[in-house]
Amino acid sequence: MSRQRDKAPEGQPLLDVQNLRIEATIYEPGEPPRDAVIVDDVSFSLPRGKVLGLIGESGAGKSTIGLAALAYGRGGIRLTGGAIRLNGRDIRAARPGELRRLRGEEVTYVAQSAAAAFNPARRLMDQVTEATLVHGLMSEREAKARAVELFRVLKLPDPESFGRRYPHQVSGGQLQRAMTAMALCPKPDLVIFDEPTTALDVTTQIDVLAAIKNAIAETGVAALYITHDLAVVAQVSDDIMVLRHGKMVEYGPVQQIIEAPREEYTRALVSVRQIDHVEAPPSPEPLMVLQGITARYGSMTSDVLSDVSVDLHAGQTLALVGESGSGKSTVARVITGLLPPRAGTVRFEGRDLTPALKNRPREDLRQIQMIYQMADVAMNPRQTVRTIIGRPLEFYFGLRGRKRDQRVQELLDAIELGKGFADRYPAELSGGQKQRVCIARALAADPKLIICDEVTSALDPLVADGILKLLLDLQKREQVAYLFITHDIATVRAIADSIAVMYQGRVQRYGTKTQVLSPPFDDYTDLLLSSVPEMKLGWLEHVLATRKMESAGN
Amino acid sequence: MMHPILTLLVQRIALSLLLLLAVSVVIFVGTEILPGDVARVILGQGAPEQAVENLRAQMGLDRPATVRYFEWLFNALQGDFGVALSNRRDIATAIGQRLGNTMFLAAVAAAFAVPLAIFLGLLAVRYQNRWPDRLISGVTLTAISLPEFLLGYVIMYVFAVQLGWFPSVSSVHGGMSFWQKLNAVALPAMVLTLVVLAHMMRMTRAAILNVMQSAYIETAELKGLRKLTLIFRHAMPNAIAPIVNVVMINLAYLVVGVVVIEVVFVYPGMGQYLVDHVSRRDVPVVQACGLIFATVYIGLNLVADLVSILTNPRLRHPK
């Protein structure tokens, strides 16, 4: 009982966007509401069965453009100009009933966080087949059969019974693939993929990416693929559009964009993460020695960390690498004393640190500082930058008044923010600036060790690059050591002197950067290294054909 | 190993029983420390000391409080609340009929109010910040802001005096059929519905609006679902726990807090019975009513707890 759908006439593109303009009303505290242009004069066209990659930093308007293909605007976003023609008709002028038919039947959407995009109270099968059934595209039996078929194509475990589970009963990578199945189930003409792999571990990302690419090829659907990672989009797209501040920077075939970018900004995106950092040799006397650390939380019955032993040398960087759940952050909690270990010791400057935070002398607290992944939540939103950075100065050194302000300004200069930032609130800073303030706060204590927990993961690539360069620069000047926790191998290459690869609570591989990153690899390290997307066409196929083991998520 | 949800349910039920026991202690101690001596109240101020002593011994009041507490508790558990001091009638029998009346009125009011409140809440979300939402909020908030007795008299004037549809005095007795009873309680049930509607409606609206912020609502919207289908299928299941909570609190109010309405409509329910006996210092009746009201409150809240546990898919279907 499938319904006849209006098809675009032969030779016409499926989706044709001309001079699209999108505006939103912005409500900033303390200011009257004002209209801002989110997307300005963007045009592109997408033929049936092709994939267009939209790429840019956060705030570039990628998602907004993607949702415009569904004639949908989040919050106060309005489509104010231009034409969006889908299957030969302008959908900007569509009536509500027509819009409902378009959504879920002709165009579907895959969100960044599948964990949030699935209704926790309903079974996966109900949600995957819902759009198909609501629009009367198939009988319930047909829809379920198609869903099972898609589960199979997307390599989900146990496809026959997978749909009976609830969202919380499957892993993040599986949920992301289930969302793809949900989008493909009604046999749409176009799927919007909005950063579908960004929230995943790199080892999971590669499988989801392969599954999506495979599913696109098998169903012949057209897609808009939105991401901030050029290396990822290069694997699945036919064309790429580079966006910045809501405007088009460059638009062309994927090969041209990757291999011969014309614009300066595109070149910067292509060459991102190519910081050259020469590793320093280990010193005879390490700054910190972790010896046989074993730890678990509360009433858990198994250890999160077992027998972790690593050294960290003064003025150098040790990178802890691994996927989520491998115990990286737990190591940081043990070092800072937030989680006293069950066995093992933390030696710092030749003496044992007290296991529990509350018993540590203030001097020990000062020597070890932390920077977090989420800079926003690591700062009090009601304090100014001056108060935030000034606090450790007062607490550890008793600096007050003019002296304190002077030192705050020195620190702001050190993180390249300069004058005029001291009186701002965190909400008035960009993501990168917030992270810089957090760095300054850590530096204010004049520590010997800074623990950096995924400090660049939430940032756009170019901004992240800036942060990494700053950290390296500060290390050279202040001789501070970093324990750098990350899941991103590219970041590790850029900053580490030695590396510890963690897998299921154990140190899988440990040594200097050169040792760890040179073959022969153990299976897990091989998987981890090979899963990092490279800015090369055909990389995905090559890796899938040559890697030694599959990720734990499968 | 028990299913984790079963463990939770058993825990909750045990906790409620413990709470009820604690309440019984509070009720007993509370009436115990009230000034005034029951024997003297019965015999009057001028009675000779010896007569009062005799009566105390006869009623067992000279025994230690703990003994009397456990005796009272065990009797109450078997449905024996003793006799009323003021008229020497068996409390359980007297309460039995009145509790039945109160429950009937509460049930009728709830049968209208709960579905209506949830439906209006859904409607208010569907037309959020548009005129239907404002109208619903306006009317229900006006109803809740008026004193109950005023609302009662206005409704009585309109429907009983002017239109003559329903009786103005809601007297019920054992010989009436269900429909006759329904006719008799129509007006008080109407007033109660208006009184509890706003609270439940506003909470339903707030709970659903809260869920409407979730990403999965956007997913559903992008599937092309109608707004009301979307609210019903995707928002409601995740808003059940808070809605059930407020519904249960209001149901408890319908049983426990309807004194004014009972007086206005001369309805033979628990509220009037309690008020009568409080004024006569009839301690056993006050204790019995207190215990029954506490049981209703704790029982309904237990139901709310159980529902919110049972509707949580994470608890129902563990990994």
Side-chain angles (χ1 to χ4, degrees), chain A residues 130-353:
Chain A
E130 184 172 23
T132 315
L133 297 177
V134 161
H135 295 290
L137 302 173
M138 296 176 205
S139 73
E140 191 170 342
R141 236 192 38 206
E142 286 171 325
K144 283 189 172 159
R146 173 155 171 88
V148 169
E149 182 52 34
L150 285 168
F151 292 156
R152 192 168 289 127
V153 171
L154 289 158
K155 296 210 169 56
L156 283 162
D158 218 351
E160 289 294 336
S161 66
F162 182 79
R164 282 206 285 277
R165 302 195 210 173
Y166 281 86
H168 69 270
Q169 292 174 309
V170 307
S171 74
Q174 289 170 357
L175 215 49
Q176 203 68 49
R177 276 175 282 173
M179 182 114 203
T180 306
M182 182 155 87
L184 292 173
C185 191
K187 300 190 177 171
D189 296 326
L190 172 65
V191 181
I192 315 295
F193 290 97
D194 194 352
E195 307 249 15
T197 64
T198 306
L200 303 175
D201 270 321
V202 58
T203 49
T204 316
Q205 161 171 292
I206 186 167
D207 289 312
V208 174
L209 205 56
I212 289 176
K213 186 170 185 180
N214 187 21
I216 291 176
E218 288 209 3
T219 54
V221 70
L224 276 183
Y225 198 101
I226 297 163
T227 175
H228 67 267
D229 191 339
L230 192 52
V232 165
V233 82
Q235 306 310 318
V236 293
S237 303
D238 299 299
D239 292 330
I240 288 180
M241 173 181 277
V242 182
L243 292 155
R244 190 180 197 192
H245 306 319
K247 292 198 174 72
M248 191 187 86
V249 175
E250 192 167 356
Y251 176 32
V254 59
Q255 190 157 10
Q256 178 256 309
I257 297 282
I258 301 294
E259 290 168 6
R262 294 196 189 99
E263 298 294 321
E264 187 62 39
Y265 181 67
T266 316
R267 270 198 289 277
L269 282 180
V270 172
S271 64
V272 77
R273 290 171 176 175
Q274 292 184 352
I275 298 173
D276 228 9
H277 174 62
V278 184
E279 72 187 46
S283 56
E285 195 62 42
L287 171 70
M288 184 179 67
V289 180
L290 299 190
Q291 191 70 55
I293 297 284
T294 298
R296 68 172 65 164
Y297 290 102
S299 55
M300 286 173 85
T301 50
S302 60
D303 291 325
V304 180
L305 293 180
S306 15
D307 197 22
V308 171
S309 304
V310 287
D311 297 348
L312 176 54
H313 301 276
Q316 296 191 12
T317 302
L318 168 66
L320 280 184
V321 208
E323 50 195 80
S324 53
S326 60
K328 308 183 298 281
S329 294
T330 308
V331 173
R333 294 177 67 86
V334 168
I335 295 171
T336 50
L338 288 168
L339 179 70
R342 279 157 50 82
T345 53
V346 181
R347 287 185 74 75
F348 191 80
E349 294 190 300
R351 59 203 161 78
D352 283 354
L353 284 183

Side-chain angles (χ1 to χ4, degrees), chain A residues 457-527:
Chain A
S457 309
L459 301 173
D460 287 315
L462 290 177
V463 179
D465 255 24
I467 296 285
L468 292 181
K469 283 181 186 143
L470 172 69
L471 284 171
L472 284 171
D473 193 39
L474 291 171
Q475 186 167 54
K476 234 177 259 159
R477 275 188 281 158
E478 314 273 336
Q479 280 302 300
V480 59
Y482 297 134
L483 179 73
F484 206 93
I485 297 169
T486 181
H487 65 268
D488 183 5
I489 297 285
T491 308
V492 173
R493 284 210 175 92
I495 197 164
D497 297 298
S498 48
I499 300 176
V501 177
M502 299 214 34
Y503 183 57
Q504 297 182 346
R506 290 172 188 281
V507 175
Q508 180 84 8
R509 190 175 168 94
Y510 170 59
T512 63
K513 179 163 72 174
T514 325
Q515 282 167 358
V516 169
L517 297 183
S518 311
F521 297 120
D522 59 284
D523 289 359
Y524 180 69
T525 308
D526 178 65
L527 171 72

Side-chain angles (χ1 to χ4, degrees), chain A residues 364-380:
Chain A
D364 284 353
L365 297 180
R366 183 181 71 77
Q367 294 288 11
I368 303 175
Q369 295 293 315
M370 256 194 103
I371 314 172
Y372 304 86
Q373 175 172 2
M374 296 291 175
D376 326 28
V377 293
M379 289 188 285
N380 187 335

